[in-house]
Structure formats: C-alpha cells, structure tokens
Amino acid sequence: MILVVDFGGQYNQLIARRVRDLNVYCEVVPYNKALQAAKEKKPAGIIFTGGPNSVYEEKAPKIEKEIFELNIPILGLCYGMQLIAHTLGGSVISSDQREFGKTETSVENVEIFENVKNPTTVWMSHVDRVENLPVGFEVIAKTKNCPIAAMQNKEKNIYAFQYHAEVNHTEQGNDMLKNFIVNICKEKQDWTMANYAITAVEDIKEKVGDGKVLLALSGGVDSSVTAALLSKAIGDKLTCIFVDHGLMRKNEGDEVENAFKDSGMNFIRVNAEERFLNKLKGVTDPEEKRKTIGEEFIRVFEDEGRKIKSVDYLAQGTIYPDVIESGIGDAAVIKSHHNVGGLPDVVDFKDLIEPLRMLFKDEVRELGRELGLADYLVDRQPFPGPGLGIRVIGELSKEKLDILRDADYIFREELEKAGLNKNINQYFAVLTNNRTVGVMGDFRTYDYTLALRAVETTDFMTADWARIPYEILDKVSVRIVNEVGHINRIVYDITSKPPATIEWE
Ligand code: XMP
C-alpha cells in the first residue's frame, strides 16, 4: 500500500484517486500522523502532497526527519518537495514570479521519468521553489523559471516534483506516478473491486459469525452497495430497514423495495410518511427541517430495530471521503448533513460494520456493479438524506411534495433522454414557496414557481451551473406546466457554488 501524506493541498484526494486508478491500494493520513502511520502500516511508498503554506511560516506543517530513515521510497509534490528540501538541509525561496499553468519542462533520463518525453508539459502552481539542493540530491528536471523543477536522491530513494503530477494537465503525470509506484516502490497492481469483493465477503463472514446485523438502507448508492455486499456475505443474518420518510423522489421507494425484497436478506420497509409530515408541521427554517428529519429518521429506525431480537452489529455505508481527515483544520459547517449524525440507540451493538470505509465513490459504484446491482441504483446521482424535504422551500405538505415529485420526474426524464445526464452531475427541481400570477386558457392562475437546478462538479464542494441548451429547457418547461398542476412559472438557477450551494436549503 501507498501512504499519501496530506499537507492540506486542494488535490490531495486526487492523488489518492490516481494511485487507486493504477490498481494500487492507498490511504491518506494527515501530516501529523504520518510517521506513526508509516511505522505501523509499513507502506511500500509514501507520497507527500502539496499544500497552501510556505515552509518558513511559523504555522507551516512540518515532517519528522525520522520518516526519511525508514527505508521507504518517498515522492514529494509541490509543497511536499519544498518540505523535503527544507527538512533535509536545502533551501527554499519565494520567487518574485508565480509560475502557474502548463509549463514546458526538460527531464533527465532517469528511472522516475522512464517513457516520459523530453521535453514534457507539466502543471505548475507555485510561488516558492527549491533554491539549493540538500546533500545527496541531484536536479532531474528544469523549466525556464524553475531551475530545480524535480530532484532525486537515488541512493535514499527520495524523489520530488515542483509541479503537480496528479492533475491531467501534466501530460505524462500518470506515467511518472506509475514509475514511482510500480518500478521504484515495487507495488503489485492487484487492487480491483473483484478482489475487494472476495476479501470483503470473507472478512464480514469471519467478523459476524453467527451474529445478526442491522442496516439502515436509504436506497442511495452507498447503503445499497453495503446491503448487497452484506447480503452476499451473510444472507438472512442481515436485516435492512428502509425508512421511507415520504420525501423520496417519484417511484423511488418502490424501486428500492423491488431491488432488495427478494435478495435473501430480511427487508423491512417502514412507511413513515405521516409520521414525518406530522413532525414537520409548521417547520420552515431549513436547519430546523434538516434536524427534525434527521432525528425522526433515527427514532423510526430505533422503533423498528428494537423489534428485532439480539442484534450484534450495526452496518453503515460510510465511504472514504467521509473518513479522511484533512491535514489542515476543519472546514466550516455550512449545512448539517443528516447521515453523518449520531448513531441510533437500538440495542447494545458489539461493533460497527463499515465495509466501504476505504472506498471512493466511483469504487463503490464499481463494486456495486461487480455485485450485480442494477444500473439505476449504482449510477444514482447524490440525493440528500433529508430528501425532498429540503427541495420544497418553506413548510412541507403532501400536496407540495407530490407536485415537486411529478415536475422533478419530467425534468430528469428529459435530461436523460437528451443524454445530458452523463456530464451533468446533479439535476433536480425545487418547489419554491412563491406563488405568482399567470394566465392559462382564459383564466387567471395563482400558482407556484418551480426552479430547475443542474450542476457540473467533480467534488460537490464547488460547482458550476450546467449550460443546458434552450430547446431542452423549453421542452421541460412546456411539459411541466402542461402535465403538472399548480405550477405556472418555471425558472432556471444560474448560480454556481460558491456563492450559492447546490441545494436550496
Ligand atoms: P450543498 O447544498 O451543500 O450540497 O452544495 C452538496 C452536496 O451534498 C448533498 N447534500 C446532502 N447529502 N445528506 C447527504 O447525504 C445531506 O443532508 C445533504 N445535504 C446536501 C447535495 O445534494 C449535494 O450533492
């Protein structure tokens, strides 16, 4: 395995993705836990990521010298390179010119650049750079503005690039990473989801033994794949409780039920729409709505869970991005996400089972396919835990939810028909709490305004609004006002994130 040491850069998860794409397992650790992790996990190689600091800043993340003495190959990227130089006795300067963007680089004929063209194009984004090499290092790449664009200490197996090999703009970045991981660290490329499924099934069997496992199944990708994996491993020792809070999209509750009810596990669908709507009466504040839905979800789950005798384990669909702690501080909480809240208090569990804990989202999808789950479950776009509860603005009612469900269905159907769903990462409708005057036939109407939202994003932390062709928007608009009652105006949301968020509440 490869250890990725996080110094707080924006591409850190991308580095881990690149390693996994080479079919090599890797884990990300914050820089202050790197030495301990390296000693415990004995990785085949270590990658230091970039980061926003300058090595001379007082608060800049540091690394213990001892990590260089463990006889493990190390590759530093950007800040990672500067830190290697600084820690091992070289020096770093702030250049007066920021080097940014695609840059032509000449490279030496060395192992880490095997099969790399000379010159090659790399992606630079830095102000600081290494000025003097530490003892034992040599220069292996340079650009016009950066005389030490890469360096190595062959004897100690330490390598460093000033540029970002992990981004696509570095033409042969993947080859460079592969040279490091496969040739230098000697890693086998055998991390595949087919292998993962086999090992995970064995591990789950062994851990659970004759015990019973309970899982809250939401129908989202993560909990569905968790259910399929557990079901394969332990069959009817698994009970899945699917809390249908009445805030699902059109037909979604039935789709989830159909996918799982005959799979050999115990599948319980709780139709709790009324219970949720009662709790939500009079609630208009978005945060209060989220909290109410999250809490009620746990209460319903507990009520059902208590009916099942002697449960030993609680399973959860936690995935790797939820687990990775950033190397630098915590990001501000913008919205409270309900599925990462507290654990239900059903009975005394022996332990948690989180079989997707080390997987990225696309690996979870691949695993789902490997386990034979239907495409519509595996390819599902993200859907918030509080569901349509945060897509009907203001107070909820069954009537408003039904209007939204019908309109949202048409929007999604038309985008999918036009093939736009491949590039648009999330798309849905929002029922605003606004009513305006319209005219239909010869009559005045006073009905709701519906908003359409569609975004392109890779990480959902930032997003751009999708440029849907006017003809498609027009088709959607005409269909919705004709086919769905109580909507007489449709608007398209043309804000990116930031400053807006993807969801409206
Ligand atoms: P925002 O609105 O914060 O959303 O830009 C970012 C992404 O997160 C999803 N989202 C949630 N997902 N539980 C979830 O599992 C939640 O409570 C929740 N709230 C928002 C949102 O759909 C988008 O993909």
Side-chain angles (χ1 to χ4, degrees):
M1 103 55 175
I2 297 288
L3 195 67
V4 176
V5 179
D6 182 355
F7 290 98
Q10 53 178 324
Y11 300 127
N12 298 349
Q13 290 205 22
L14 188 61
I15 297 174
R17 289 273 351 123
R18 292 285 178 255
V19 179
R20 298 264 181 112
D21 286 343
L22 290 166
N23 294 333
V24 171
Y25 180 62
C26 69
E27 288 183 21
V28 183
V29 288
Y31 68 91
N32 50 5
K33 298 194 180 139
L35 181 61
Q36 187 195 347
K39 285 180 178 171
E40 283 171 16
K41 295 173 190 278
K42 303 198 170 25
I46 301 176
I47 299 179
F48 291 176
T49 73
N53 297 79
S54 171
V55 287
Y56 295 115
E57 282 168 26
E58 211 179 300
K59 283 201 195 129
K62 308 231 172 340
I63 195 79
E64 294 88 343
K65 256 191 178 163
E66 205 186 330
I67 203 161
F68 298 102
E69 309 296 327
L70 301 176
N71 249 334
I72 302 173
I74 293 179
L75 171 65
L77 302 172
C78 199
Y79 181 79
M81 166 160 175
Q82 294 154 15
L83 190 66
I84 291 174
H86 179 62
T87 311
L88 297 180
S91 69
V92 174
I93 52 159
S94 273
S95 44
D96 28 2
Q97 259 176 318
R98 180 184 171 86
E99 198 182 18
F100 183 82
K102 289 187 182 177
T103 310
E104 193 177 273
T105 307
S106 61
V107 296
E108 297 295 323
N109 184 11
V110 289
E111 191 178 14
I112 203 154
F113 293 137
E114 197 183 298
N115 296 324
V116 173
K117 279 188 322 198
N118 184 27
T120 184
T121 300
V122 302
W123 180 257
M124 287 287 192
S125 174
H126 67 109
V127 178
D128 290 5
R129 63 177 168 81
V130 173
E131 186 183 35
N132 290 304
L133 294 170
V135 174
F137 279 77
E138 59 181 320
V139 178
I140 53 171
K142 48 180 101 153
T143 71
K144 202 165 113 231
N145 296 318
C146 187
I148 309 181
M151 62 182 192
Q152 72 173 17
N153 180 335
K154 192 74 192 118
E155 195 191 316
K156 296 219 147 152
N157 255 337
I158 304 172
Y159 306 81
F161 305 152
Q162 181 51 66
Y163 50 88
H164 289 273
E166 69 278 20
V167 304
N168 282 334
H169 305 305
T170 295
E171 247 168 38
Q172 289 193 271
N174 283 339
D175 293 320
M176 298 174 193
L177 292 175
K178 185 174 173 193
N179 287 337
F180 176 68
I181 291 165
V182 179
N183 298 350
I184 293 168
C185 303
K186 312 261 182 268
E187 268 293 50
K188 282 202 207 81
Q189 295 174 281
D190 56 4
W191 163 258
T192 63
M193 284 306 108
N195 284 340
Y196 183 84
I198 296 169
T199 325
V201 164
E202 285 313 309
D203 290 350
I204 293 166
K205 271 187 187 158
E206 191 180 325
K207 179 164 182 178
V208 173
D210 289 329
K212 279 193 194 169
V213 181
L214 191 61
L215 168 71
L217 177 64
S218 71
V221 180
D222 305 338
S223 70
S224 296
V225 175
T226 306
L229 188 61
L230 286 167
S231 164
K232 184 163 179 179
I234 55 169
D236 64 359
K237 281 180 252 168
L238 169 68
T239 301
C240 287
I241 299 180
F242 165 44
V243 176
D244 185 347
H245 47 23
L247 307 170
M248 310 281 278
R249 286 164 292 198
K250 189 166 169 162
N251 301 335
E252 202 164 28
D254 294 343
E255 281 173 11
V256 174
E257 181 170 353
N258 290 335
F260 291 104
K261 71 169 191 276
D262 301 321
S263 62
M265 63 168 85
N266 301 302
F267 178 86
I268 300 171
R269 175 174 179 175
V270 191
N271 291 315
E273 181 182 41
E274 234 181 278
R275 199 167 152 173
F276 276 87
L277 287 182
N278 278 337
K279 274 274 161 190
L280 288 162
K281 259 200 195 117
V283 181
T284 53
D285 175 69
E287 273 302 290
E288 202 185 329
K289 257 198 221 177
R290 282 172 169 274
K291 284 207 181 90
T292 308
I293 298 169
E295 277 168 22
E296 196 55 16
F297 190 91
I298 304 240
R299 297 292 92 81
V300 175
F301 184 69
E302 283 173 348
D303 288 351
E304 283 306 311
R306 281 200 195 93
K307 295 180 192 161
I308 302 162
K309 299 278 172 293
S310 63
V311 173
D312 305 279
Y313 298 96
L314 180 72
Q316 296 203 125
T318 317
I319 68 169
Y320 201 39
D322 308 332
V323 175
I324 299 180
E325 290 172 64
S326 166
I328 307 233
D330 287 319
V333 174
I334 309 289
K335 296 175 187 180
S336 48
H337 279 202
H338 103 213
N339 39 352
V340 288
L343 289 180
D345 170 26
V346 182
V347 279
D348 287 334
F349 296 112
K350 263 198 237 158
D351 205 353
L352 278 179
I353 295 191
E354 298 179 311
L356 311 182
R357 222 183 134 70
M358 287 326 215
L359 303 185
F360 285 102
K361 194 81 176 186
D362 51 335
E363 290 172 323
V364 172
R365 293 189 207 278
E366 208 181 312
L367 178 62
R369 271 185 214 108
E370 196 65 48
L371 294 165
L373 281 182
D375 284 349
Y376 70 84
L377 279 176
V378 173
D379 293 329
R380 217 158 236 181
Q381 50 173 311
F383 185 59
L388 300 185
I390 54 164
R391 292 182 182 170
V392 169
I393 306 308
E395 189 176 356
L396 301 184
S397 70
K398 169 109 172 82
E399 188 207 13
K400 288 183 189 171
L401 285 163
D402 283 338
I403 295 173
L404 176 60
R405 265 189 276 265
D406 287 340
D408 178 69
Y409 187 81
I410 293 172
F411 182 40
R412 288 190 288 129
E413 189 175 64
E414 287 301 330
L415 284 202
E416 282 152 30
K417 255 201 249 163
L420 293 175
N421 54 321
K422 294 194 181 68
N423 296 325
I424 300 180
N425 306 89
Q426 202 171 3
Y427 46 99
F428 54 88
V430 175
L431 191 69
T432 74
N433 207 16
N434 239 27
R435 291 206 290 164
T436 66
V437 174
V439 54
M440 239 188 239
D442 294 328
F443 295 99
R444 173 188 191 270
T445 57
Y446 187 55
D447 275 327
Y448 290 111
T449 302
L450 183 89
L452 304 175
R453 180 74 162 143
V455 294
E456 288 174 19
T457 172
T458 46
D459 55 8
F460 297 89
M461 308 283 281
T462 59
D464 197 10
W465 61 276
R467 272 48 173 185
I468 298 177
Y470 285 162
E471 312 81 75
I472 310 285
L473 286 173
D474 185 50
K475 209 164 166 187
V476 172
S477 164
V478 170
R479 269 196 70 190
I480 291 176
V481 283
N482 279 320
E483 295 175 36
V484 184
H486 303 292
I487 292 175
N488 67 355
R489 192 177 296 273
I490 296 181
V491 296
Y492 185 51
D493 183 345
I494 51 166
T495 32
S496 291
K497 173 185 180 177
T501 51
I502 297 174
E503 303 288 348
W504 276 39
E505 283 195 332

